[in-house]
Amino acid sequence: MNRTGIGWDSHRLVAGRPLVLGGVRLESEVGLEGHSDADVLTHAVIDAVLGAAGLDDIGTHFPDTDPKFKDADSIALLEESARLVAQAGFAVVNVDATVMLEAPKIGSHRAQMRERLATALGLEPSQVNVKATTGEGMDAVGRGEGAAAIAVATLHPS
Ligand code: MG
């Protein structure tokens, strides 16, 4: 039986931090604040695959109180999550994600994000879709105060 999981995350945008989304560093004067590299897209994908496998969540496996995960490369955490999912007896069928960010536009980086996320999951880029939208000037995303991401993952028994 296939299983579905959902992941959601948000981080504040602040000066003096790198902007990393889906493992890709973007040119920006502001970046995401967090204990790890704060890659909001990768965090949503991690929660989607862990959730689909019934393996709790990102905070359980990679607590932000643990100095080990300070400035952690979230792609490495996704690789570890993929190992946990495989260990639990599942293979990822596909992932679909949406990044919510006012600026910069990520369109030209989407292919690279798909590639990086797919590689971490042991998948083809065709199995990992990345979309982007803005907040249309409304809410915290729209005001440029932060970024958010949502993802869904489908698994089948391996
Ligand atoms: Mg996060």
Side-chain angles (χ1 to χ4, degrees):
M1 205 68 130
N2 283 355
R3 299 169 61 117
T4 303
I6 189 169
W8 160 265
D9 195 25
S10 59
H11 284 267
R12 233 175 248 283
L13 281 166
V14 295
R17 286 276 301 179
L19 179 60
V20 181
L21 290 171
V24 178
R25 174 91 185 251
L26 280 81
E27 204 59 51
S28 172
E29 280 170 17
V30 289
L32 294 167
E33 184 177 51
H35 184 67
S36 67
D37 65 8
D39 182 340
V40 70
L41 170 57
T42 301
H43 290 184
V45 172
I46 288 172
D47 261 351
V49 294
L50 290 174
L55 292 172
D56 298 312
D57 62 15
I58 186 170
T60 307
H61 296 278
F62 315 109
D64 65 6
T65 49
D66 189 334
K68 190 166 68 175
F69 300 118
K70 176 94 179 85
D71 297 322
D73 172 5
S74 296
I75 289 291
L77 306 184
L78 180 59
E79 287 167 356
E80 176 59 19
S81 302
R83 274 191 287 278
L84 294 168
V85 165
Q87 245 168 43
F90 298 104
V92 181
V93 177
N94 78 299
V95 170
D96 186 27
T98 299
V99 182
M100 287 153 266
L101 177 70
E102 209 62 15
K105 295 280 180 242
I106 69 161
S108 59
H109 301 280
R110 273 164 54 182
Q112 205 188 346
M113 291 175 189
R114 290 178 69 162
E115 172 89 44
R116 291 225 63 196
L117 292 166
T119 300
L121 288 164
L123 302 175
E124 296 298 322
S126 62
Q127 293 170 280
V128 180
N129 196 60
V130 174
K131 309 182 298 301
T133 187
T134 68
E136 294 285 343
M138 303 177 289
D139 70 29
V141 168
R143 292 188 296 271
E145 295 168 11
I150 190 165
V152 290
T154 301
L155 313 183
H156 67 73
S158 52

